[in-house]
Amino acid sequence: MLKLVIEDDEGNKTVVPVIRDEITIGREEGNTIRLTERNVSRRHARLVRDDDGVLVEELSARYGTKMNGDKIQEKTRFSIGDVVLIGDYRLTLEGEGAEAEAPKTNGAAPPPEPKKSGFANAPTQITKREDIEKRASQGTEILPAQPAKLVVVSSNFAGQEFPLNRKEVVIGRADECDIIVDHRSVSQTHAKVVREQNGVYKIVDLNSKNGVKVSGEEYRAVHLKRGDVVELGHVKFRFVEPGENYVFTPQAIDDSEFDAALPGSKNNMVVIGGAAVVGLIVIVAIIIAMSSGDDPETKDPVVTPPTNNVAVNDPATNNEKPADDKVALMIEKAQKQFDEGKVERAIADLTTARDVLSPTPDEREEIDALLSQARRERPLAKDLENGRDHFKENRFVEALRKFKRIPPDPPSKIHSIMMAEELPQKSIERIMKQAAAAKEEGETDEAKRLVTEVLLYDTENAEALAMKTELDTVAEVKKDPPKSSNDKPRKKKKGLTPEEIEQRTNDGQAALISGDWKKAISMCKPIRNGKCYRIMGVAYKKLGDQDKSCKFLKRAGMNPPDCQ
């Protein structure tokens, strides 16, 4: 059976079995495979299986799809050895005989092998084909090649490892739990470990009887970091983060826990992932306890976390940077991403630096300040992204509306990026071209609608003001044509002729453009039509009279946001 291997730009891999006739790939919900980076289109590409293998086809990929360095133009054969690039992701195919044998489920690691010193061999895990199909149909996300894990460091279960290879892993005594701990101090559903989108793991207490402690402190919910010791009742786990080189060596075993493993109890510990059952080790545990010289009835429970077995990042012995350098580099990376408008990535990196690494007080203050700013600008970044999408789809009015939601005050990174790309001005230029075309075709109402959208964004746009005046004049002539057969114009109230109305309107428009607000009002005050109402509305706004400004703008058929 063929397998699709998906690798991101950090080397994390996910494997999806190619068991469907069609696999869609994209950023939006509903795709078979969902890749969440911004350079992946909503419906980017699809894989189609036929008798000869697999074909890859581009759907609506804004940034394109490449195979072996060349852009895909049509359906292309996708064979083992080919490399398909979709955004920051690298896709390859593997067969049954591939060297890098991947896990058989969606990014999940196989069940851990039990320790051989006293533990019975676990049965082989069997995964049903329909279970694989169900997981593949629900989409996939990129997981670390080596997920985090919990290692038991107390009781007769010490040394057992349990990979946290799902978004949520429930721990407890009940049979439906993902990790079953058959110990009387553990509740039926005691806690769950949640992997968040930024790769950080959090443990949550599920209203257990004995609670959840992390490194000696009791929590309802808390993020886990390297070296944390998690206590569920009397059973203790060491949290091992992805990629950490940690090997368990027994140092101190809590003999008081052995009574849970006496005959008559249920399975000691089971990892649900196919039904892997770890055998009992009562006899060996008792022998170990006796050899220690302690009396299990009187000995106080003491469990020392095996911290001396943790791989230390010593710059003198390896190429890894010290932890404080990692924090500084993470902050620098997040700042760069934020400056580029990649707010979600910046937030993820800052959260990791704060909750997973060990920042100094000064670094934590810097992280919190930048994180607060990024979270404030998160909705603006979303508007910018949507506006860009509308612009690229030639929906310029919708794009301008999104850009209008990104105000210049208070100053923001997103507004600076938007103005640097000249997105509002480019949208206005396209809208005015559409308005001019509509006017030439006699579609006056459509032209006025487009011009109004521009003026809602920029009330002083000279081109839009001039076209609106022209369109209003045409509308007035159509509304009040001369009644006499010799085209003698009908006089308006106060003795103004259409020519005089047009002249005063033009003078009011000129005064508005030149900044003489009072003259603009004076010229238009005797005239009761849409163009003069708009001129007076803008002029009163410049003079600081918001009530009169809203009054005349509404009479002109406009509905500015600040007049709601």
Side-chain angles (χ1 to χ4, degrees), residues 156 183-184 254-263 265 297:
N156 56 306
H183 192 282
R184 63 188 180 185
D254 190 348
D255 296 330
S256 65
E257 306 300 323
F258 289 165
D259 54 357
L262 293 176
S265 67
E297 295 295 326

Side-chain angles (χ1 to χ4, degrees), residues 447-495:
K448 288 180 69 173
R449 184 187 72 83
L450 294 170
V451 169
T452 300
E453 291 288 348
V454 173
L455 292 174
L456 286 174
Y457 182 88
D458 180 7
T459 58
E460 300 178 23
N461 186 281
E463 183 182 3
L465 289 171
M467 183 175 290
K468 190 171 192 321
T469 299
E470 184 178 353
L471 293 169
D472 287 341
T473 301
V474 172
E476 284 294 326
V477 172
K478 288 182 177 180
K479 181 179 179 182
D480 299 313
K483 289 186 176 181
S484 62
S485 58
N486 59 359
D487 292 336
K488 184 177 179 179
R490 178 170 64 95
K491 289 188 176 182
K492 299 284 185 179
K493 287 184 178 181
K494 299 185 181 181

Side-chain angles (χ1 to χ4, degrees), residues 243-394:
E244 181 183 352
N245 182 19
Y246 171 81
V247 178
F248 171 77
T249 300
Q251 287 188 338
I253 295 186
D254 190 348
D255 296 330
S256 65
E257 306 300 323
F258 289 165
D259 54 357
L262 293 176
S265 67
K266 292 164 49 180
N267 297 335
N268 290 322
M269 185 167 287
V270 182
V271 176
I272 303 298
V277 181
V278 179
L280 301 176
I281 183 180
V282 178
I283 297 176
V284 175
I286 294 175
I287 293 174
I288 294 175
M290 293 176 62
S291 64
S292 66
D294 294 321
D295 183 358
E297 295 295 326
T298 60
K299 178 176 177 288
D300 293 329
V302 177
V303 177
T304 303
T307 53
N308 62 334
N309 294 303
V310 180
V312 179
N313 293 323
D314 185 358
T317 58
N318 58 48
N319 294 325
E320 291 189 37
K321 293 182 178 294
D324 55 345
D325 285 351
K326 288 184 178 180
V327 175
L329 290 174
M330 189 73 81
I331 295 174
E332 181 180 352
K333 178 184 175 184
Q335 181 67 66
K336 182 179 179 182
Q337 290 172 336
F338 184 45
D339 291 341
E340 295 173 353
K342 301 173 182 177
V343 177
E344 293 295 342
R345 290 190 184 185
I347 290 174
D349 284 344
L350 290 169
T351 304
T352 300
R354 183 193 64 187
D355 297 339
V356 177
L357 303 179
S358 300
T360 64
D362 289 342
E363 288 173 334
R364 186 176 183 86
E365 183 177 352
E366 183 179 0
I367 289 170
D368 289 341
L370 185 55
L371 190 57
S372 177
Q373 184 181 2
R375 285 172 174 166
R376 283 197 307 270
E377 298 200 25
R378 175 186 275 166
L380 304 183
K382 187 66 176 177
D383 287 330
L384 179 60
E385 178 192 358
N386 291 336
R388 283 172 174 157
D389 290 343
H390 290 320
F391 186 87
K392 290 174 182 177
E393 295 167 1
N394 297 328

Side-chain angles (χ1 to χ4, degrees), residues 152 154-155 157 181 183 185-186 230-237:
V152 185
S154 71
S155 81
F157 310 138
V181 183
H183 192 282
S185 67
V186 177
V230 179
E231 297 179 55
L232 306 183
H234 298 305
V235 181
K236 298 184 179 182
F237 302 80

Side-chain angles (χ1 to χ4, degrees), residues 143-196:
L143 302 176
Q146 294 181 338
K149 59 186 176 182
L150 292 175
V151 179
V152 185
V153 295
S154 71
S155 81
N156 56 306
F157 310 138
Q160 289 298 293
E161 299 182 357
F162 304 97
L164 304 174
N165 50 25
R166 300 184 185 178
K167 284 188 176 181
E168 292 188 3
V169 176
V170 179
I171 309 171
R173 292 169 58 193
D175 292 337
E176 63 268 22
C177 292
D178 301 303
I179 298 177
I180 300 177
V181 183
D182 188 18
H183 192 282
R184 63 188 180 185
S185 67
V186 177
S187 299
Q188 290 293 313
T189 52
H190 198 112
K192 68 178 178 181
V193 179
V194 180
R195 188 188 69 251
E196 299 180 338

